[in-house]
Amino acid sequence: VSGTEPVAVQPSNRLAWAPDLLVRRSDRAVLLCTNANPEPLVLRDSAIALWDEFEAGATPATVARELAARFGVEESNTARDIEFLVAELCRAGALIEIS
Amino acid sequence: MTSVSSQLAAVVAAHGLPGARPEPLPPFAAAAWDAFRDDVVDQRLAGLALECAADGVLTLDDAQRDELLSLHEQQLAVDLRLERFLRTAARFLEAHGVAYRALKGPVVSRVAYARPELRSFADVDILLPGKQFDDAVELLCRELDLARRFEQPRSGFDRRFGKGVCLTAADGLELDVHRTLAAGPYGATLAVDELFAAEPTRVRIGGHAVYGLPTGLAFVHACLHAVLGGGAPRLVPLRDAAALGSVGFDIDEVRSFCARSRVLAVVGLALERTSAVLAVDLPPALLAGFMGERPTRFDRWALSTYRAVGPSYAAQAAATFWVLPSMRDRLAYARALVWPDDQYLRARDRGHLRRLTRSASLGLRWRPR
């Protein structure tokens, strides 16, 4: 992800896929095209699982809990890991805040 | 392309269509793999090749699969940038009251393919009505910072007679703006106004409803592209024709359009090629509607200007003169090509006299017989 300052996202903010996003999937990646980035963002591995959790709308805290349970890791560690990626996806316009 | 790798690429292009050959193919030797990989990437079939592998039709080792996936992902990134470009152009045209129809990949991938990842493209194409053509092209260039790749011979030529114009963006992406669906005589006989009269298809691209040709007319376009497209034969237009033909549409209505546009024989030829190259089952109603049409004298003459070898562009330009509907059109067309603007001339010929003698010779050589 290229760009400047990441966006600060509260763990309790509800986020979802931006409706104007252009998306393609391969067997091992999700490519996201937004207006903010000239080149598509490429998500791989666990970032794909995180991305899919936001399809219908979710909070970062909920997603951290889901992923921690699925992969059998500490929720606090997962929350830290996803914080940066979620902020970057918001900055790029791939995730937006919903009410 | 070797004959073996071209046959394998055709198997890939046919995958998922009714009647496509399901037998698994043997693993690739190293040299055969290189040729096959280059072919499917060149023909933008990497997505379908991976689908073949997932369905057990192609046997790939891990390294081959990884390589193909990487190449496919590179193409998907291009597809996304092109679709964003198309959405921008579509929104812009709508905001300025310009009717348009998106063509080919972005629309066909959503209408006739299982998912967009299976149909990639190299540029984006839109069709504009002749009446709005010049103004819309000028607006696109000015407001979206696009540049024409080639100038028109004289002001108003593209709007009245041209196939279209290619516009390029600073990042290298190309928007092909069409006035008609083929170059040469068949582009001139096509009933272009009817392409806008029919209810358009709407596909969602990045949250925006983009207008496309209705399925039946998109099928005709795929057939024209498959037969009249020029250059080396491509597999994707054949697959598009088969896939769109299998979606279903009012065959009588489309057949009438083709008859009025004098392209019935071209569509029949495209279906013959599709059947022969892809070896798939086309819907019987489609075959009954379009195949078996004997090429007329006009078709034999017109088709001869689209040969893969020989003076294709010049022959098509000369032949177009003879099919224009009125003497007024013919005079304006001939004037633009024989005596074009100085800027256009400088880029191509040495002077007006040379252009004049060359045009007269071509016009006589390619008159209807």
Side-chain angles (χ1 to χ4, degrees):
Chain A
V1 178
S2 63
T4 52
E5 294 294 308
V7 173
V9 179
Q10 296 301 317
S12 58
N13 285 4
R14 196 167 158 77
L15 306 172
W17 296 356
D20 61 351
L21 198 61
L22 292 144
V23 184
R24 290 286 195 278
R25 279 177 186 266
S26 77
D27 283 355
R28 62 180 186 193
V30 174
L31 291 87
L32 310 172
C33 189
T34 68
N35 288 325
N37 283 63
E39 293 293 330
L41 317 176
V42 183
L43 306 181
R44 297 192 188 279
D45 306 322
S46 55
I48 298 173
L50 175 140
W51 174 250
D52 287 341
E53 290 290 330
F54 285 105
E55 179 175 7
T59 66
T62 316
V63 171
R65 202 156 42 245
E66 290 280 339
L67 295 182
R70 194 189 310 172
F71 294 110
V73 292
E74 279 290 318
E75 189 180 323
S76 56
N77 292 343
T78 308
R80 269 198 306 278
D81 288 345
I82 72 169
E83 184 183 350
F84 179 77
L85 182 55
V86 166
E88 286 293 333
L89 289 168
C90 288
R91 187 204 56 75
L95 285 176
I96 56 162
E97 211 172 303
I98 57 171
S99 52
Chain B
M1 188 186 279
T2 67
S3 62
V4 173
S5 72
S6 69
Q7 283 170 19
L8 291 175
V11 169
V12 168
H15 189 69
L17 292 170
R21 188 174 71 172
E23 302 99 64
L25 297 164
F28 290 96
W33 164 251
D34 288 349
F36 172 77
R37 177 205 57 214
D38 291 350
D39 283 346
V40 294
V41 170
D42 176 58
Q43 298 255 6
R44 295 186 198 86
L45 292 169
L48 280 167
L50 287 161
E51 190 87 340
C52 284
D55 292 343
V57 175
L58 282 182
T59 307
L60 304 181
D61 64 29
D62 288 348
Q64 290 166 344
R65 188 171 176 281
D66 270 3
E67 191 179 8
L68 201 54
L69 257 175
S70 295
L71 292 164
H72 186 222
E73 285 164 4
Q74 286 172 27
Q75 178 63 56
L76 291 178
V78 174
D79 294 347
L80 284 172
R81 291 175 58 215
L82 284 165
E83 285 197 343
R84 180 175 57 190
F85 186 30
L86 172 64
R87 181 184 61 186
T88 302
R91 280 179 174 157
F92 178 78
L93 292 168
E94 287 163 27
H96 287 81
V98 178
Y100 73 89
R101 298 289 182 267
L103 307 171
K104 301 189 196 173
V107 179
V108 177
S109 68
R110 287 165 170 83
V111 170
Y113 282 65
R115 51 183 199 281
E117 285 83 353
L118 302 179
R119 172 62 166 90
S120 289
F121 30 92
D123 56 16
V124 280
D125 300 75
I126 54 169
L127 178 77
L128 296 181
K131 282 178 190 165
Q132 294 182 295
F133 195 88
D134 282 349
D135 290 345
V137 167
E138 195 186 322
L139 265 171
L140 286 165
C141 288
R142 193 175 63 231
E143 301 297 325
L144 301 185
D145 199 20
L146 307 179
R148 296 176 68 114
R149 274 186 73 187
F150 303 106
E151 290 302 320
Q152 55 184 337
R154 272 181 178 271
S155 173
F157 182 88
D158 287 345
R159 168 174 53 83
R160 292 180 70 182
F161 309 116
K163 180 195 176 194
V165 55
C166 177
L167 306 180
T168 55
D171 60 4
L173 297 183
E174 289 186 356
L175 175 66
D176 275 347
V177 185
H178 299 244
R179 183 195 65 86
T180 182
L181 299 181
Y186 284 114
T189 57
L190 205 75
V192 285
D193 290 343
E194 294 185 34
L195 299 172
F196 288 92
E199 185 65 22
T201 293
R202 290 179 181 80
V203 293
R204 290 202 81 74
I205 295 179
H208 187 73
V210 172
Y211 296 101
L213 285 180
T215 302
L217 296 178
F219 162 77
V220 174
H221 186 204
C223 290
L224 298 181
H225 191 206
V227 175
L228 312 176
R234 307 286 296 179
L235 292 167
V236 166
L238 297 179
R239 194 190 199 281
D240 284 356
L244 287 161
S246 300
V247 169
F249 48 82
D250 186 331
I251 288 175
D252 289 341
E253 197 176 281
V254 173
R255 191 186 147 81
S256 297
F257 167 80
C258 290
R260 288 192 295 280
S261 297
R262 303 179 79 176
V263 296
L264 262 180
V266 180
V267 174
L269 199 54
L271 290 180
E272 266 178 43
R273 281 191 195 171
T274 302
S275 220
V277 175
L278 301 186
V280 292
D281 297 334
L282 296 169
L286 198 69
L287 297 176
F290 295 100
M291 289 231 327
E293 196 69 31
R294 280 171 64 92
T296 62
R297 208 164 138 186
F298 163 78
D299 289 314
R300 287 194 296 275
W301 164 72
L303 283 167
S304 70
T305 68
Y306 293 89
R307 285 179 301 208
V309 289
S312 187
Y313 173 76
Q316 287 165 28
T320 299
F321 171 84
W322 297 105
V323 299
L324 291 173
S326 69
M327 191 51 75
R328 191 163 167 260
D329 284 331
R330 288 185 188 184
L331 286 172
Y333 181 81
R335 180 169 177 253
L337 288 183
V338 173
W339 206 266
D341 290 340
D342 287 347
Q343 190 183 354
Y344 180 87
L345 193 66
R346 272 197 300 274
R348 287 164 181 79
D349 293 271
R350 286 184 205 138
H352 284 294
L353 187 61
R354 180 183 152 89
R355 180 96 185 169
L356 185 65
T357 51
R358 195 160 158 257
S359 302
S361 156
L362 279 166
L364 288 172
R365 183 176 164 200
W366 289 100
R367 70 188 185 278
R369 293 169 198 271

